[in-house]
Amino acid sequence: VIRCRAAVAWAPGKPLSVEEVEVAPPKAGEVRIKLVVTGICRTDEHLLQGCFPNAEFPVIPGHEGAGIVESIGEGVTSMNPGDKVIPLCLPQCGECSFCQNPQSNFCQKSQISEPQNLLPDKTSRFSCKGKQIHHFLWVSTFSEYTVVPEYAVAKIDAAAPLDKVCLFGCGFSTGYGAAINTAKVKPGSTCAIFGLGGVGLSVVMGCKTAGASRIIAVDINKDKFAKAKELGATDCINPRDFKKPIQEVITEMTGQGVDYSFEAIGHADTMIAALASCNMNTGVCVMVGVLDSKISIDPTLLLTGRTWKGTMLGGWKMRECMPKLVSSYLEKKFNSDLLITHTLPFAEVNEGFELLHAGK
Ligand code: NAD
Ligand code: ZN
C-alpha cells in the first residue's frame, strides 16, 4: 500500500480537499501509476457540482493525467514499471463488439455502459480515514498514485514531455478528433466553433489542420479570441455583440451556414444554435459539450438534410491512437502547448478550478 496525497471530493458542491490517501497495489490485469501531472477539464467541474451521470461520492476526480508505471498486476504484458503512460478515461478493451468495429471508438466498458466508480472487480483501490473512496472514470488523476485496468492505459514514447502530453488524455484529443475524425472536415470548407475552452480551441486546431478555409470562433469571453486567432480562427465573434441570434449572424456571414459546426460548451441553447448554424442541407454539427438535461429541437432542422452527431473523446480508439498522437506531437505536426495557460502545484488544485470559473 502506498500513502500519498490526493484531492478528494467528499460531497457535491464542496471544494476539493487534499488528503493523505492509501492506494492499494494493482490486482490482476491492473497497473499502478505514479501521476506526474494532470489537467483540469470542465467535465471535472460537472462532477464536483454533482452533474456527472452515475458518479458516486466521495470520489477522486481528474481524468487528464500523465505518469509513470510504478507496478503491474499479474498478467499485465503491455507495459512495465518505468514506462511513461497516459491513463484513458475511455478504455479500449479490444474485445467488445464496438472495439472490434473499426468505425467505432466507444468501448462497452466505458462509464456510459457500466459505471467506472469502482474497478472491474467492484472494489476500490483508494481509502482515506478508513473510508472507501470512489474512482472517477477509473483514472482518478487528482492523486499522486492511481490504479487503472491495463486496457485503460496507453504506453507512450519515453521522449514525451508528460507536462505537455497530459492534455491528450482528454481536452486536446477530444477537440482535435471532433474535427478530424467525427466531422471529417474537408479542405476549403467553412467551420464554426462554439466555446473556446481547451476543447473548443483544440477543435480550431483540428479544423486548421484539416485545411478549412474559414474558421469562425464563437465565445462570450472575448479574452479567448487572441489564442483562437493564433491557432487558426479567421473570425471571432461574441454573441453578446449582436441583437439577432448568433445562428442568423453565422448564416449571413457564410451565405447558407457553415459546412461544419461544433458545440464545445455544454448548454442546450448553444447546442441548438450550433445545429442551426450549419447549412440546412449538407451541414454537419458535432455535439462535444456535455449536458445532463434534455433539449427539444424543431425537427425541420434535420428534415432538410443536416447531420447532428456527437463525439466521445474525438473518435480516437484511445489505446491504439494515443502513441500515434504523441508521435505527431513530437514531430511538431501541431502545437498543443499553446493550450496551457497556467501551471500550479498540486496543493493549489482549488485555485485551478477558480481559474476555470474565471474563464482564464
Ligand atoms: P471550458 O469551460 O474551458 O470552456 C467553455 C467555453 O465556453 C468558455 O470559453 C466559455 O466562455 C464559453 N461559453 C460559455 N457559455 C457560452 C455561450 N453561451 N456562448 C458562447 N460561449 C460560451 O470547457 P472545456 O474544458 O473546454 O470543455 C467544454 C465542454 O466539453 C464541456 O461541456 C465538457 O464537459 C465537454 N467535454 C466533452 C468531451 C467529450 O468526449 N465529448 C470531452 C471533454 C470535455
Ligand atoms: Zn475531459
Short mmCIF file of all heavy atoms in Angstrom, two decimals, residues 271-327:
data_model
loop_
_atom_site.label_atom_id
_atom_site.label_comp_id
_atom_site.label_asym_id
_atom_site.label_seq_id
_atom_site.Cartn_x
_atom_site.Cartn_y
_atom_site.Cartn_z
N MET A 271 -26.23 24.40 -28.13
CA MET A 271 -26.29 23.19 -28.97
C MET A 271 -27.27 23.42 -30.13
O MET A 271 -27.00 23.06 -31.27
CB MET A 271 -26.74 21.99 -28.14
CG MET A 271 -25.62 21.48 -27.24
SD MET A 271 -26.09 20.03 -26.32
CE MET A 271 -24.54 19.72 -25.45
N ILE A 272 -28.41 24.05 -29.83
CA ILE A 272 -29.39 24.32 -30.88
C ILE A 272 -28.84 25.40 -31.84
O ILE A 272 -28.99 25.27 -33.06
CB ILE A 272 -30.74 24.74 -30.25
CG1 ILE A 272 -31.30 23.53 -29.48
CG2 ILE A 272 -31.72 25.21 -31.32
CD1 ILE A 272 -32.44 23.86 -28.55
N ALA A 273 -28.19 26.41 -31.29
CA ALA A 273 -27.62 27.46 -32.16
C ALA A 273 -26.54 26.88 -33.08
O ALA A 273 -26.47 27.23 -34.27
CB ALA A 273 -27.03 28.59 -31.29
N ALA A 274 -25.72 25.96 -32.54
CA ALA A 274 -24.68 25.35 -33.38
C ALA A 274 -25.32 24.53 -34.49
O ALA A 274 -24.89 24.59 -35.65
CB ALA A 274 -23.75 24.48 -32.52
N LEU A 275 -26.37 23.78 -34.14
CA LEU A 275 -27.05 22.96 -35.16
C LEU A 275 -27.61 23.86 -36.27
O LEU A 275 -27.45 23.59 -37.46
CB LEU A 275 -28.16 22.14 -34.50
CG LEU A 275 -29.00 21.26 -35.41
CD1 LEU A 275 -28.15 20.23 -36.13
CD2 LEU A 275 -30.11 20.56 -34.62
N ALA A 276 -28.23 24.96 -35.88
CA ALA A 276 -28.86 25.86 -36.86
C ALA A 276 -27.82 26.66 -37.65
O ALA A 276 -28.16 27.29 -38.64
CB ALA A 276 -29.83 26.79 -36.15
N SER A 277 -26.56 26.65 -37.22
CA SER A 277 -25.52 27.43 -37.90
C SER A 277 -24.91 26.70 -39.08
O SER A 277 -24.21 27.31 -39.89
CB SER A 277 -24.38 27.77 -36.93
OG SER A 277 -24.85 28.57 -35.89
N CYS A 278 -25.10 25.38 -39.15
CA CYS A 278 -24.54 24.68 -40.31
C CYS A 278 -25.61 24.63 -41.40
O CYS A 278 -26.81 24.75 -41.11
CB CYS A 278 -24.03 23.29 -39.93
SG CYS A 278 -25.28 22.10 -39.49
N ASN A 279 -25.19 24.50 -42.64
CA ASN A 279 -26.15 24.69 -43.72
C ASN A 279 -27.22 23.61 -43.71
O ASN A 279 -26.98 22.47 -43.33
CB ASN A 279 -25.45 24.91 -45.08
CG ASN A 279 -25.25 23.65 -45.85
OD1 ASN A 279 -26.19 22.95 -46.19
ND2 ASN A 279 -23.98 23.34 -46.13
N MET A 280 -28.44 24.01 -44.10
CA MET A 280 -29.63 23.20 -43.86
C MET A 280 -29.64 21.89 -44.64
O MET A 280 -30.39 20.98 -44.32
CB MET A 280 -30.90 24.00 -44.18
CG MET A 280 -31.03 24.38 -45.65
SD MET A 280 -32.30 25.63 -45.90
CE MET A 280 -33.76 24.80 -45.33
N ASN A 281 -28.77 21.76 -45.62
CA ASN A 281 -28.81 20.56 -46.44
C ASN A 281 -27.67 19.59 -46.14
O ASN A 281 -27.88 18.47 -45.68
CB ASN A 281 -28.81 20.99 -47.91
CG ASN A 281 -28.91 19.82 -48.86
OD1 ASN A 281 -28.34 19.84 -49.93
ND2 ASN A 281 -29.63 18.79 -48.47
N THR A 282 -26.43 20.06 -46.32
CA THR A 282 -25.31 19.13 -46.13
C THR A 282 -24.49 19.43 -44.88
O THR A 282 -23.47 18.79 -44.64
CB THR A 282 -24.36 19.19 -47.36
OG1 THR A 282 -23.98 20.56 -47.53
CG2 THR A 282 -25.04 18.68 -48.61
N GLY A 283 -24.94 20.40 -44.06
CA GLY A 283 -24.17 20.77 -42.88
C GLY A 283 -24.09 19.64 -41.86
O GLY A 283 -24.99 18.82 -41.74
N VAL A 284 -22.95 19.61 -41.16
CA VAL A 284 -22.74 18.61 -40.11
C VAL A 284 -22.47 19.34 -38.81
O VAL A 284 -21.60 20.22 -38.77
CB VAL A 284 -21.52 17.70 -40.45
CG1 VAL A 284 -21.23 16.74 -39.30
CG2 VAL A 284 -21.76 16.94 -41.74
N CYS A 285 -23.21 19.01 -37.76
CA CYS A 285 -22.98 19.62 -36.45
C CYS A 285 -22.52 18.55 -35.48
O CYS A 285 -23.16 17.50 -35.36
CB CYS A 285 -24.26 20.27 -35.93
SG CYS A 285 -24.08 20.92 -34.26
N VAL A 286 -21.41 18.80 -34.80
CA VAL A 286 -20.89 17.84 -33.82
C VAL A 286 -21.09 18.39 -32.42
O VAL A 286 -20.62 19.48 -32.09
CB VAL A 286 -19.40 17.52 -34.07
CG1 VAL A 286 -18.90 16.52 -33.03
CG2 VAL A 286 -19.17 16.99 -35.47
N MET A 287 -21.78 17.62 -31.60
CA MET A 287 -22.00 17.98 -30.21
C MET A 287 -20.84 17.42 -29.39
O MET A 287 -20.62 16.21 -29.37
CB MET A 287 -23.31 17.33 -29.77
CG MET A 287 -23.84 17.79 -28.47
SD MET A 287 -25.19 16.75 -27.87
CE MET A 287 -26.09 16.33 -29.29
N VAL A 288 -20.06 18.31 -28.78
CA VAL A 288 -18.92 17.88 -27.97
C VAL A 288 -19.20 18.13 -26.49
O VAL A 288 -18.83 17.35 -25.63
CB VAL A 288 -17.63 18.63 -28.39
CG1 VAL A 288 -16.40 17.99 -27.77
CG2 VAL A 288 -17.48 18.69 -29.91
N GLY A 289 -19.86 19.25 -26.20
CA GLY A 289 -20.15 19.62 -24.80
C GLY A 289 -21.05 18.58 -24.14
O GLY A 289 -21.81 17.88 -24.81
N VAL A 290 -20.94 18.49 -22.82
CA VAL A 290 -21.71 17.51 -22.05
C VAL A 290 -22.85 18.24 -21.36
O VAL A 290 -22.64 19.24 -20.68
CB VAL A 290 -20.81 16.81 -21.00
CG1 VAL A 290 -21.64 15.91 -20.10
CG2 VAL A 290 -19.72 16.01 -21.70
N LEU A 291 -24.07 17.73 -21.55
CA LEU A 291 -25.27 18.33 -20.95
C LEU A 291 -26.05 17.22 -20.28
O LEU A 291 -26.27 16.18 -20.90
CB LEU A 291 -26.10 18.97 -22.08
CG LEU A 291 -27.44 19.59 -21.69
CD1 LEU A 291 -27.23 20.83 -20.86
CD2 LEU A 291 -28.24 19.93 -22.94
N ASP A 292 -26.45 17.40 -19.02
CA ASP A 292 -27.16 16.29 -18.37
C ASP A 292 -28.67 16.52 -18.31
O ASP A 292 -29.36 15.87 -17.57
CB ASP A 292 -26.57 15.98 -17.00
CG ASP A 292 -26.98 16.99 -15.95
OD1 ASP A 292 -27.36 18.11 -16.34
OD2 ASP A 292 -26.94 16.65 -14.75
N SER A 293 -29.18 17.49 -19.12
CA SER A 293 -30.63 17.64 -19.18
C SER A 293 -31.08 17.39 -20.61
O SER A 293 -30.27 17.18 -21.50
CB SER A 293 -31.02 19.05 -18.74
OG SER A 293 -30.49 19.98 -19.63
N LYS A 294 -32.40 17.45 -20.83
CA LYS A 294 -32.92 17.16 -22.18
C LYS A 294 -33.04 18.45 -22.97
O LYS A 294 -33.16 19.53 -22.39
CB LYS A 294 -34.29 16.50 -22.05
CG LYS A 294 -34.18 15.20 -21.26
CD LYS A 294 -35.27 14.23 -21.61
CE LYS A 294 -34.87 12.86 -21.09
NZ LYS A 294 -35.85 12.22 -20.27
N ILE A 295 -33.03 18.33 -24.29
CA ILE A 295 -33.27 19.51 -25.12
C ILE A 295 -34.33 19.15 -26.16
O ILE A 295 -34.45 18.00 -26.56
CB ILE A 295 -32.01 20.04 -25.83
CG1 ILE A 295 -31.23 18.96 -26.57
CG2 ILE A 295 -31.10 20.74 -24.89
CD1 ILE A 295 -29.96 19.48 -27.20
N SER A 296 -35.09 20.17 -26.58
CA SER A 296 -36.06 19.88 -27.64
C SER A 296 -35.70 20.75 -28.84
O SER A 296 -35.27 21.90 -28.68
CB SER A 296 -37.48 20.15 -27.16
OG SER A 296 -37.67 21.51 -26.93
N ILE A 297 -35.83 20.19 -30.02
CA ILE A 297 -35.49 20.92 -31.24
C ILE A 297 -36.66 20.86 -32.21
O ILE A 297 -37.51 19.98 -32.12
CB ILE A 297 -34.23 20.36 -31.93
CG1 ILE A 297 -34.44 18.89 -32.34
CG2 ILE A 297 -32.99 20.52 -31.10
CD1 ILE A 297 -33.60 18.48 -33.52
N ASP A 298 -36.64 21.80 -33.14
CA ASP A 298 -37.59 21.78 -34.25
C ASP A 298 -37.07 20.74 -35.26
O ASP A 298 -35.99 20.91 -35.83
CB ASP A 298 -37.61 23.19 -34.87
CG ASP A 298 -38.41 23.23 -36.15
OD1 ASP A 298 -38.93 22.18 -36.58
OD2 ASP A 298 -38.51 24.33 -36.73
N PRO A 299 -37.80 19.64 -35.48
CA PRO A 299 -37.27 18.58 -36.34
C PRO A 299 -37.00 19.02 -37.77
O PRO A 299 -36.23 18.36 -38.49
CB PRO A 299 -38.34 17.49 -36.28
CG PRO A 299 -39.51 18.06 -35.59
CD PRO A 299 -39.11 19.32 -34.90
N THR A 300 -37.59 20.15 -38.18
CA THR A 300 -37.32 20.65 -39.53
C THR A 300 -35.82 20.92 -39.72
O THR A 300 -35.31 20.84 -40.84
CB THR A 300 -38.11 21.96 -39.77
OG1 THR A 300 -39.39 21.82 -39.20
CG2 THR A 300 -38.22 22.29 -41.24
N LEU A 301 -35.15 21.23 -38.61
CA LEU A 301 -33.70 21.48 -38.70
C LEU A 301 -32.99 20.28 -39.34
O LEU A 301 -32.03 20.44 -40.08
CB LEU A 301 -33.11 21.73 -37.31
CG LEU A 301 -33.35 23.11 -36.69
CD1 LEU A 301 -32.97 23.11 -35.22
CD2 LEU A 301 -32.55 24.17 -37.44
N LEU A 302 -33.46 19.08 -39.04
CA LEU A 302 -32.82 17.87 -39.57
C LEU A 302 -33.48 17.38 -40.86
O LEU A 302 -32.84 16.76 -41.71
CB LEU A 302 -32.84 16.75 -38.53
CG LEU A 302 -32.07 17.05 -37.25
CD1 LEU A 302 -32.25 15.92 -36.23
CD2 LEU A 302 -30.59 17.24 -37.52
N LEU A 303 -34.76 17.70 -41.00
CA LEU A 303 -35.53 17.20 -42.15
C LEU A 303 -34.90 17.63 -43.48
O LEU A 303 -34.96 16.89 -44.46
CB LEU A 303 -36.96 17.75 -42.04
CG LEU A 303 -38.03 16.99 -42.79
CD1 LEU A 303 -38.22 15.59 -42.19
CD2 LEU A 303 -39.35 17.75 -42.72
N THR A 304 -34.31 18.79 -43.51
CA THR A 304 -33.76 19.30 -44.76
C THR A 304 -32.39 18.70 -45.07
O THR A 304 -31.79 19.06 -46.08
CB THR A 304 -33.66 20.83 -44.71
OG1 THR A 304 -32.94 21.19 -43.54
CG2 THR A 304 -35.03 21.48 -44.69
N GLY A 305 -31.88 17.85 -44.20
CA GLY A 305 -30.65 17.13 -44.56
C GLY A 305 -29.48 17.27 -43.60
O GLY A 305 -28.50 16.54 -43.72
N ARG A 306 -29.57 18.22 -42.68
CA ARG A 306 -28.45 18.37 -41.74
C ARG A 306 -28.14 17.06 -41.02
O ARG A 306 -29.03 16.24 -40.81
CB ARG A 306 -28.81 19.37 -40.64
CG ARG A 306 -28.78 20.82 -41.03
CD ARG A 306 -28.98 21.66 -39.77
NE ARG A 306 -28.95 23.07 -40.09
CZ ARG A 306 -30.02 23.78 -40.45
NH1 ARG A 306 -31.21 23.20 -40.52
NH2 ARG A 306 -29.89 25.05 -40.72
N THR A 307 -26.88 16.92 -40.60
CA THR A 307 -26.48 15.77 -39.78
C THR A 307 -26.07 16.28 -38.41
O THR A 307 -25.30 17.24 -38.31
CB THR A 307 -25.26 15.05 -40.42
OG1 THR A 307 -25.60 14.68 -41.75
CG2 THR A 307 -24.87 13.82 -39.63
N TRP A 308 -26.58 15.65 -37.38
CA TRP A 308 -26.24 16.04 -36.00
C TRP A 308 -25.56 14.84 -35.34
O TRP A 308 -26.13 13.76 -35.27
CB TRP A 308 -27.53 16.38 -35.24
CG TRP A 308 -27.37 17.19 -34.01
CD1 TRP A 308 -26.26 17.84 -33.59
CD2 TRP A 308 -28.38 17.45 -33.03
NE1 TRP A 308 -26.52 18.52 -32.42
CE2 TRP A 308 -27.82 18.29 -32.06
CE3 TRP A 308 -29.72 17.08 -32.89
CZ2 TRP A 308 -28.53 18.75 -30.95
CZ3 TRP A 308 -30.43 17.53 -31.78
CH2 TRP A 308 -29.84 18.36 -30.83
N LYS A 309 -24.31 15.02 -34.92
CA LYS A 309 -23.54 13.91 -34.36
C LYS A 309 -22.99 14.28 -33.00
O LYS A 309 -22.86 15.45 -32.67
CB LYS A 309 -22.31 13.60 -35.24
CG LYS A 309 -22.57 13.49 -36.70
CD LYS A 309 -21.28 13.28 -37.47
CE LYS A 309 -20.95 11.81 -37.58
NZ LYS A 309 -19.77 11.58 -38.45
N GLY A 310 -22.59 13.27 -32.27
CA GLY A 310 -21.86 13.52 -31.02
C GLY A 310 -20.50 12.88 -31.12
O GLY A 310 -20.22 12.11 -32.06
N THR A 311 -19.63 13.21 -30.18
CA THR A 311 -18.31 12.58 -30.18
C THR A 311 -17.92 12.22 -28.76
O THR A 311 -18.24 12.93 -27.81
CB THR A 311 -17.24 13.50 -30.81
OG1 THR A 311 -16.06 12.74 -31.07
CG2 THR A 311 -16.87 14.68 -29.91
N MET A 312 -17.25 11.10 -28.63
CA MET A 312 -16.63 10.74 -27.36
C MET A 312 -15.13 10.77 -27.59
O MET A 312 -14.62 10.02 -28.43
CB MET A 312 -17.01 9.31 -26.94
CG MET A 312 -18.42 9.17 -26.38
SD MET A 312 -18.57 9.86 -24.73
CE MET A 312 -17.79 8.60 -23.77
N LEU A 313 -14.46 11.67 -26.88
CA LEU A 313 -13.00 11.76 -26.96
C LEU A 313 -12.51 11.88 -28.40
O LEU A 313 -11.44 11.38 -28.76
CB LEU A 313 -12.34 10.55 -26.28
CG LEU A 313 -12.12 10.64 -24.76
CD1 LEU A 313 -11.22 11.80 -24.38
CD2 LEU A 313 -13.39 10.71 -23.95
N GLY A 314 -13.32 12.55 -29.24
CA GLY A 314 -12.85 12.87 -30.59
C GLY A 314 -12.76 11.69 -31.53
O GLY A 314 -12.12 11.78 -32.58
N GLY A 315 -13.42 10.59 -31.16
CA GLY A 315 -13.48 9.47 -32.10
C GLY A 315 -12.22 8.61 -32.16
O GLY A 315 -12.15 7.67 -32.95
N TRP A 316 -11.21 8.90 -31.34
CA TRP A 316 -9.99 8.08 -31.37
C TRP A 316 -10.23 6.78 -30.64
O TRP A 316 -10.80 6.77 -29.55
CB TRP A 316 -8.82 8.79 -30.66
CG TRP A 316 -8.53 10.17 -31.12
CD1 TRP A 316 -8.90 11.33 -30.51
CD2 TRP A 316 -7.79 10.55 -32.29
NE1 TRP A 316 -8.45 12.40 -31.23
CE2 TRP A 316 -7.76 11.96 -32.32
CE3 TRP A 316 -7.16 9.83 -33.31
CZ2 TRP A 316 -7.13 12.68 -33.34
CZ3 TRP A 316 -6.53 10.54 -34.32
CH2 TRP A 316 -6.52 11.95 -34.32
N LYS A 317 -9.74 5.67 -31.19
CA LYS A 317 -9.62 4.44 -30.41
C LYS A 317 -8.43 4.73 -29.49
O LYS A 317 -7.27 4.72 -29.94
CB LYS A 317 -9.35 3.25 -31.31
CG LYS A 317 -10.61 2.63 -31.89
CD LYS A 317 -10.27 1.31 -32.55
CE LYS A 317 -11.44 0.71 -33.33
NZ LYS A 317 -12.56 0.22 -32.52
N MET A 318 -8.71 5.05 -28.24
CA MET A 318 -7.72 5.74 -27.41
C MET A 318 -6.42 4.96 -27.21
O MET A 318 -5.35 5.52 -27.25
CB MET A 318 -8.33 6.08 -26.04
CG MET A 318 -9.35 7.19 -26.09
SD MET A 318 -8.63 8.76 -26.58
CE MET A 318 -8.33 9.54 -25.00
N ARG A 319 -6.53 3.67 -26.97
CA ARG A 319 -5.33 2.93 -26.59
C ARG A 319 -4.36 2.81 -27.77
O ARG A 319 -3.16 2.97 -27.63
CB ARG A 319 -5.73 1.55 -26.10
CG ARG A 319 -4.70 0.96 -25.22
CD ARG A 319 -5.24 -0.12 -24.32
NE ARG A 319 -4.11 -0.51 -23.52
CZ ARG A 319 -3.58 -1.72 -23.52
NH1 ARG A 319 -4.10 -2.68 -24.24
NH2 ARG A 319 -2.51 -1.96 -22.80
N GLU A 320 -4.92 2.58 -28.97
CA GLU A 320 -4.02 2.44 -30.12
C GLU A 320 -3.64 3.79 -30.73
O GLU A 320 -2.57 3.91 -31.31
CB GLU A 320 -4.59 1.48 -31.17
CG GLU A 320 -5.88 1.92 -31.81
CD GLU A 320 -6.50 0.83 -32.69
OE1 GLU A 320 -6.85 -0.23 -32.16
OE2 GLU A 320 -6.63 1.07 -33.91
N CYS A 321 -4.50 4.80 -30.58
CA CYS A 321 -4.19 6.09 -31.21
C CYS A 321 -3.30 6.99 -30.36
O CYS A 321 -2.61 7.86 -30.89
CB CYS A 321 -5.47 6.85 -31.55
SG CYS A 321 -6.42 6.04 -32.84
N MET A 322 -3.31 6.79 -29.05
CA MET A 322 -2.56 7.69 -28.17
C MET A 322 -1.05 7.74 -28.51
O MET A 322 -0.48 8.83 -28.64
CB MET A 322 -2.78 7.28 -26.71
CG MET A 322 -2.23 8.25 -25.72
SD MET A 322 -2.97 9.88 -25.87
CE MET A 322 -4.62 9.59 -25.28
N PRO A 323 -0.40 6.57 -28.70
CA PRO A 323 1.03 6.65 -29.05
C PRO A 323 1.26 7.40 -30.37
O PRO A 323 2.25 8.13 -30.52
CB PRO A 323 1.45 5.18 -29.19
CG PRO A 323 0.39 4.39 -28.48
CD PRO A 323 -0.87 5.18 -28.56
N LYS A 324 0.29 7.28 -31.32
CA LYS A 324 0.44 7.97 -32.61
C LYS A 324 0.26 9.47 -32.43
O LYS A 324 0.98 10.27 -33.05
CB LYS A 324 -0.58 7.43 -33.61
CG LYS A 324 -0.36 5.96 -33.95
CD LYS A 324 -1.46 5.42 -34.86
CE LYS A 324 -1.44 3.89 -34.85
NZ LYS A 324 -2.69 3.31 -35.30
N LEU A 325 -0.70 9.87 -31.59
CA LEU A 325 -0.89 11.31 -31.33
C LEU A 325 0.37 11.89 -30.69
O LEU A 325 0.81 12.99 -31.03
CB LEU A 325 -2.07 11.52 -30.39
CG LEU A 325 -3.46 11.66 -31.03
CD1 LEU A 325 -4.53 11.64 -29.95
CD2 LEU A 325 -3.56 12.94 -31.85
N VAL A 326 0.95 11.14 -29.76
CA VAL A 326 2.17 11.61 -29.09
C VAL A 326 3.31 11.72 -30.11
O VAL A 326 4.07 12.71 -30.11
CB VAL A 326 2.53 10.69 -27.90
CG1 VAL A 326 3.93 11.00 -27.37
CG2 VAL A 326 1.49 10.84 -26.78
N SER A 327 3.42 10.75 -31.03
CA SER A 327 4.47 10.83 -32.05
C SER A 327 4.26 12.06 -32.93
O SER A 327 5.22 12.77 -33.26
CB SER A 327 4.48 9.60 -32.94
OG SER A 327 4.63 8.47 -32.15
#
